[in-house]
Amino acid sequence: MTINIVILGSGGAIPTLTRNLPSVAVQCDGRVFLFDCGEGTQTQMVRAKLALSKIEGIYISHLHGDHVMGLPGLLMTMGQIPRERALYIYGPPGISDFVEGNRRFLGHQCPFPVIIAESKGGLVSEDDSVFIESVPAEHSCFTLAFSFQERERPGLFMVEEARRLGVPPGPLYGRLQAGESVTLPDKRVVEPRQVLGPARRGRKIVYATDTRPCDQVASLAREADILIHDGMFSDDLRSQARQKHHSTVVQAARIARRAKVGSLVLTHISSRYMQDGPLAAEARKIFPASRIARDLMEINVPMYK
Amino acid sequence: MTINIVILGSGGAIPTLTRNLPSVAVQCDGRVFLFDCGEGTQTQMVRAKLALSKIEGIYISHLHGDHVMGLPGLLMTMGQIPRERALYIYGPPGISDFVEGNRRFLGHQCPFPVIIAESKGGLVSEDDSVFIESVPAEHSCFTLAFSFQERERPGLFMVEEARRLGVPPGPLYGRLQAGESVTLPDKRVVEPRQVLGPARRGRKIVYATDTRPCDQVASLAREADILIHDGMFSDDLRSQARQKHHSTVVQAARIARRAKVGSLVLTHISSRYMQDGPLAAEARKIFPASRIARDLMEINVPMYK
């Protein structure tokens, strides 16, 4: 399974000519999971060559305009594309009123089912290969941070071990790989654990903006491959960050270090910063694997072997 | 008075990488009058170097998402800029619910007064130098077309005539120019009409999208300097235009010819058209002074002398 992250909007509050409003796409085997949907997201998806028809679910962190005002327009455009399967929208309490209210004001009805679910934290959605959880972050209004997690995959099939146990090559290999016990011609039973290596961990991506640095996000992000975190301010503006319920890049880097994540992507960058370098340098002093998000940045998340 | 039009979004329904959603700015002596506000308008204003602080009024044609979804975000960004004077928003019935509903959903309150007025046609707003009128157009929902009109200006001051009448150069010239009668030292009274040429007509810009070709718009556009009109389709798609309550470029050109406008700007161009040339050629066969709107196109409207 390929997992690829595309930053659609790395700005916050006010869009600039280089930073659109917040949105992050997680591409996963041809499906797109969208986190936040600021104004302009549908155009950014076109720019990133992501098909709107592939959107599986949209996860909204909170009901501030910069994170959500692209949603009604995105739904309208999706309504022009052939689609039968449902679209899922998840977000904090109030997301349903927002979507339904705008549908009513604009007299627009999607031709496919739109299923809206409000969450206060916990398991948000799941299928056979991935699951998404949320925790409340710390912002000026109720805000969710999300983890996107691939399920654990069975361990590698140890062909040598299977041969040693006398399993004949062929369909029995497949059944063992799929987790079934098999009975050999001589009546011996072979269990999957005898021929499979240790289970391979699933990949984990955490999206946490807008938020002050907080314990809940640090826990959610535990050993994530990628933590995408609010890094709106440089460290000299930490009192402003606190007052506005955001994080500095240094605070975000401390969360990354504490959560032992693979790497940190700082986003929701204030429009005051013209250069990434100084922000990145501040974060890297605390957590070297830090970078500043840019619009259309792509991050491949390699599979565990 | 300088009047300058900037096309912020020349597309319609679905934004593309070259055509944003509908919005047109009329710049008038440092003030900006905004017609429609599709998603992405605030960023287009930055691109066009138009200051958000200069917006005087926002005129919404109708409550379809592509014409209005940029408004809540624009208001949020304007709320970050020092401003005390009121912002006026005019639109069809329902515009107030839309603005107020989103303000409530997003918990956002502008720090300056926002005055919303709903119109079903007629005089929409006026001041000493300009006035804006509307008529109902013909679309799938109630839609307003707008005329932006400069007031008639007094005629040119005829210095030779004033001298002949014995008016001494100085403050009396100014009072006559301002429309006051003056009494000369020899007790004779000179009236403004004796020293002023014929009143100079004001400039007129008409904005009409989305709409089928219709009589009301043709009347509103009578002798306008610039008619900005729905030209969503080429003429071969006129049945589709009719069905979707839009116009072809040929239909719009006929309205322009009938209304004897100075020039025609076709907008709300469907995302299917990659080239302007064929559309412009179709329109010019009917009305030579036609052009296809492009994003960030600027049109200066010269003063009548």
Side-chain angles (χ1 to χ4, degrees), chain B residues 16-234:
Chain B
T16 69
L17 296 185
T18 54
R19 295 195 186 277
N20 273 269
L21 292 175
S23 186
V24 170
V26 176
Q27 263 185 301
C28 180
D29 267 1
R31 298 183 299 168
V32 171
F33 299 80
L34 202 62
F35 293 87
D36 279 337
C37 190
E39 186 178 345
T41 295
Q42 59 171 320
T43 305
Q44 286 297 87
M45 284 192 69
V46 175
R47 209 164 261 135
K49 298 188 171 56
L50 292 171
L52 270 52
S53 60
K54 304 291 188 191
I55 298 177
E56 196 68 24
I58 302 174
Y59 300 79
I60 299 294
S61 64
H62 65 298
L63 284 165
H64 279 165
D66 53 336
H67 290 251
V68 81
M69 281 314 303
L71 188 49
L74 178 67
L75 294 179
M76 287 186 62
T77 300
M78 288 180 74
Q80 310 274 325
I81 303 165
R83 178 184 184 121
E84 289 184 9
R85 72 187 198 287
L87 173 73
Y88 293 86
I89 300 175
Y90 308 93
I95 184 68
S96 184
D97 279 355
F98 171 78
V99 175
E100 285 301 313
N102 276 295
R103 192 192 61 65
R104 208 170 53 242
F105 298 144
L106 306 175
H108 176 260
Q109 183 71 60
C110 273
F112 50 82
V114 175
I115 297 166
I116 307 172
E118 301 191 340
S119 166
K120 290 185 170 177
L123 181 69
V124 175
S125 72
E126 61 174 339
D127 63 25
D128 288 348
S129 55
V130 299
F131 60 102
I132 287 107
E133 293 179 315
S134 70
V135 296
E138 274 184 37
H139 194 47
S140 56
C141 68
F142 183 78
T143 297
L144 295 168
F146 293 102
S147 71
F148 175 95
Q149 292 179 76
E150 181 187 23
R151 291 194 189 278
E152 223 176 38
R153 291 177 306 131
L156 284 173
F157 189 75
M158 298 179 293
V159 178
E160 287 307 315
E161 196 56 27
R163 269 197 204 130
R164 204 185 59 74
L165 291 167
V167 185
L172 296 186
Y173 277 25
R175 286 170 53 195
L176 283 161
Q177 273 181 309
E180 288 179 42
S181 306
V182 299
T183 305
L184 302 185
D186 63 8
K187 308 293 180 207
R188 278 185 303 125
V189 172
V190 177
E191 302 286 344
R193 64 175 167 71
Q194 295 177 268
V195 295
L196 295 180
R200 289 170 291 177
R201 63 188 284 193
R203 287 159 283 182
K204 182 175 174 182
I205 298 157
V206 168
Y207 175 79
T209 191
D210 300 352
T211 188
R212 284 181 182 162
C214 67
D215 293 342
Q216 311 86 279
V217 167
S219 300
L220 185 73
R222 185 105 201 130
E223 292 183 356
D225 296 86
I226 308 278
L227 168 60
I228 302 165
H229 197 284
D230 186 325
M232 193 169 186
F233 295 103
S234 50

Side-chain angles (χ1 to χ4, degrees), chain A residues 13-17 20-21 38-43 46-47 63-66 68-70 72-74 76-77 80 94 97-98 101-102 104-107 244, chain B residues 13-17 20-21 38-43 46-47 63-66 68-70 72-74 76-77 80 94 97-98 101-102 104-107 244:
Chain A
I14 296 177
T16 69
L17 296 185
N20 273 269
L21 292 176
E39 185 178 345
T41 295
Q42 59 171 319
T43 306
V46 175
R47 209 163 263 135
L63 284 166
H64 280 166
D66 55 335
V68 81
M69 279 315 302
L74 178 67
M76 286 185 63
T77 300
Q80 310 275 324
D97 280 355
F98 172 79
N102 277 295
R104 210 169 53 242
F105 298 144
L106 306 175
K244 296 197 165 180
Chain B
I14 297 177
T16 69
L17 296 185
N20 273 269
L21 292 175
E39 186 178 345
T41 295
Q42 59 171 320
T43 305
V46 175
R47 209 164 261 135
L63 284 165
H64 279 165
D66 53 336
V68 81
M69 281 314 303
L74 178 67
M76 287 186 62
T77 300
Q80 310 274 325
D97 279 355
F98 171 78
N102 276 295
R104 208 170 53 242
F105 298 144
L106 306 175
K244 296 197 166 178

Side-chain angles (χ1 to χ4, degrees), chain A:
Chain A
M1 191 163 80
T2 302
I3 298 183
N4 216 37
I5 300 168
V6 186
I7 307 290
L8 296 171
S10 59
I14 296 177
T16 69
L17 296 185
T18 53
R19 294 195 186 278
N20 273 269
L21 292 176
S23 185
V24 170
V26 176
Q27 262 184 302
C28 179
D29 266 0
R31 297 184 298 168
V32 171
F33 299 81
L34 202 62
F35 293 87
D36 278 338
C37 190
E39 185 178 345
T41 295
Q42 59 171 319
T43 306
Q44 286 297 87
M45 284 191 69
V46 175
R47 209 163 263 135
K49 300 189 170 56
L50 292 171
L52 269 53
S53 61
K54 304 291 188 191
I55 298 176
E56 195 68 23
I58 302 175
Y59 301 79
I60 300 293
S61 63
H62 65 300
L63 284 166
H64 280 166
D66 55 335
H67 291 252
V68 81
M69 279 315 302
L71 187 51
L74 178 67
L75 294 179
M76 286 185 63
T77 300
M78 288 180 74
Q80 310 275 324
I81 303 165
R83 178 182 183 121
E84 288 184 9
R85 72 188 198 286
L87 173 73
Y88 293 85
I89 300 174
Y90 308 93
I95 185 67
S96 185
D97 280 355
F98 172 79
V99 174
E100 285 299 314
N102 277 295
R103 192 192 60 66
R104 210 169 53 242
F105 298 144
L106 306 175
H108 177 259
Q109 182 70 59
C110 272
F112 49 81
V114 175
I115 297 165
I116 307 171
E118 301 191 339
S119 166
K120 291 186 169 178
L123 182 69
V124 175
S125 72
E126 61 174 340
D127 62 24
D128 288 348
S129 55
V130 299
F131 60 103
I132 288 109
E133 293 179 314
S134 70
V135 297
E138 273 184 39
H139 194 46
S140 55
C141 68
F142 183 78
T143 297
L144 294 167
F146 294 102
S147 69
F148 175 95
Q149 291 178 76
E150 179 187 26
R151 292 193 189 280
E152 219 175 42
R153 292 177 305 133
L156 285 172
F157 189 75
M158 299 179 291
V159 180
E160 287 307 314
E161 195 57 26
R163 268 196 206 132
R164 206 185 56 76
L165 291 167
V167 185
L172 294 186
Y173 276 25
R175 286 170 55 195
L176 283 161
Q177 272 179 309
E180 287 179 45
S181 307
V182 298
T183 305
L184 301 186
D186 62 7
K187 308 292 178 202
R188 276 185 304 127
V189 172
V190 176
E191 302 287 344
R193 63 175 168 72
Q194 295 178 267
V195 294
L196 295 179
R200 288 169 291 176
R201 62 187 285 192
R203 288 159 282 181
K204 181 175 176 184
I205 298 158
V206 168
Y207 175 80
T209 190
D210 301 350
T211 188
R212 285 179 181 162
C214 66
D215 292 344
Q216 311 87 278
V217 168
S219 300
L220 184 74
R222 185 104 202 131
E223 293 185 357
D225 296 270
I226 308 278
L227 168 60
I228 303 166
H229 197 284
D230 187 325
M232 192 170 187
F233 295 102
S234 50
D235 200 47
D236 56 320
L237 295 184
R238 56 190 173 277
S239 72
Q240 189 163 343
R242 181 165 176 77
Q243 185 205 331
K244 296 197 165 180
H245 303 261
H246 283 284
S247 298
T248 69
V249 292
V250 165
Q251 290 168 336
R254 285 196 193 110
I255 294 286
R257 184 174 63 187
R258 187 172 143 199
K260 301 188 195 320
V261 305
S263 80
L264 170 66
V265 178
L266 294 151
T267 195
H268 206 280
I269 307 301
S270 163
S271 58
R272 81 193 65 209
Y273 300 109
M274 296 296 152
Q275 293 193 312
D276 297 357
L279 292 173
E282 279 192 7
R284 284 176 189 150
K285 272 189 204 156
I286 310 290
F287 187 75
S290 298
R291 66 190 129 175
I292 308 298
R294 301 293 304 174
D295 280 21
L296 305 183
M297 178 186 264
E298 278 194 49
I299 302 161
N300 179 257
V301 190
M303 222 181 311
Y304 284 95
K305 298 232 162 106

